[in-house]
Amino acid sequence: MHLSNWLLFCSVALLVTFSPGPAVLLAISNAIAVGPRRAMISSMGNGFGLFIISGVAMAGMGVVLATSATAFMLLKLAGALYLVFLGIKQWRSKTSIVAAAPVALGAANPNSFWKLFRQGLTVALTNPKAILFFSALFPQFITPGEPVAIQFTVLTTSFVACAMLAHLFYANLARLLKTQLATPGRAKLFNRISGGAFVLLGLSLLRLRAKTA
């Protein structure tokens, strides 16, 4: 892969990953709830999910989702329901997000590595836009005649690195704003805003159409 192609891909990846979406919102919510360092666990899960999606796209699942309205609808529905579920949990939370006790997204234990990891993983795997994105974008940067698996690995690793950088930025931004949300009233407002945002993202996912729709 030419260096110029890789730099162009990284530019596109940074633009995409820094755009607010489910993974970014999850990183912000968890950063407020359990701190930026613990929030990166969910980002690690999201990154692992992106690797899986990349492999699925390389195996042709992206083509299936682009041509099968039923497969696309099922994955889209699963992703939308999960985001709505996260939104409702956040909306109904009555605990201050800056309290010492575990809070947002129904995290039963702020030190639960696997719970945070699974949140990020699920958000990644239930987003059909990610598979379609990889399926549509990666071929534009693949050099013909070179090993495809290696190029997919480089592109995926670069994309995940950009995503982790974006999540780290937003998580630390949330930490800086944490003191502004110390009062119960502001904590409740944050829960309502972020919970509503999750629900809106889920509903917007339902509006996503397959190419054949």
Side-chain angles (χ1 to χ4, degrees):
M1 181 183 301
H2 298 292
L3 178 62
S4 59
N5 285 352
W6 179 76
L7 291 175
L8 178 58
F9 174 83
C10 288
S11 299
V12 175
L14 284 172
L15 179 62
V16 172
T17 54
F18 270 86
S19 299
V24 167
L25 184 56
L26 182 65
I28 293 174
S29 297
N30 279 337
I32 293 293
V34 297
R37 291 185 179 181
R38 304 298 297 177
M40 294 308 294
I41 296 175
S42 65
S43 297
M44 289 170 55
N46 188 262
F48 185 70
L50 291 177
F51 270 104
I52 295 176
I53 289 174
S54 175
V56 168
M58 186 172 65
M61 182 59 71
V63 177
V64 174
L65 289 177
T67 57
S68 172
T70 301
F72 186 89
M73 178 61 70
L74 290 176
L75 186 58
K76 179 176 67 173
L77 181 61
L81 290 177
Y82 185 69
L83 290 177
V84 170
F85 167 76
L86 290 180
I88 293 174
K89 296 286 287 187
Q90 181 83 347
W91 180 282
R92 297 179 62 184
S93 176
K94 297 180 180 180
T95 309
S96 172
I97 54 179
V98 294
V103 284
L105 304 179
N109 181 355
N111 296 316
S112 175
F113 178 96
W114 291 111
K115 184 174 182 65
L116 293 171
F117 189 88
R118 285 197 305 269
Q119 284 180 347
L121 177 63
T122 305
V123 165
L125 295 182
T126 56
N127 187 358
K129 287 192 291 186
I131 296 180
L132 294 178
F133 173 80
F134 282 134
S135 300
L137 183 65
F138 276 19
Q140 312 301 322
F141 295 91
I142 295 294
T143 302
E146 298 295 331
V148 176
I150 295 178
Q151 294 185 75
F152 261 87
T153 301
V154 171
L155 292 176
T156 304
T157 302
S158 300
F159 188 88
V160 170
C162 290
M164 296 289 287
L165 179 63
H167 297 171
L168 182 62
F169 169 80
Y170 282 110
N172 280 282
L173 179 63
R175 181 191 62 180
L176 294 176
L177 297 176
K178 186 175 181 179
T179 56
Q180 305 298 321
L181 301 171
T183 63
R186 290 180 178 178
K188 182 178 180 180
L189 179 62
F190 174 82
N191 287 341
R192 294 293 175 86
I193 292 176
S194 57
F198 269 116
V199 172
L200 288 177
L201 283 171
L203 296 178
S204 66
L205 194 60
L206 290 175
R207 298 179 59 186
L208 181 66
R209 296 180 179 272
K211 294 181 179 180
T212 56

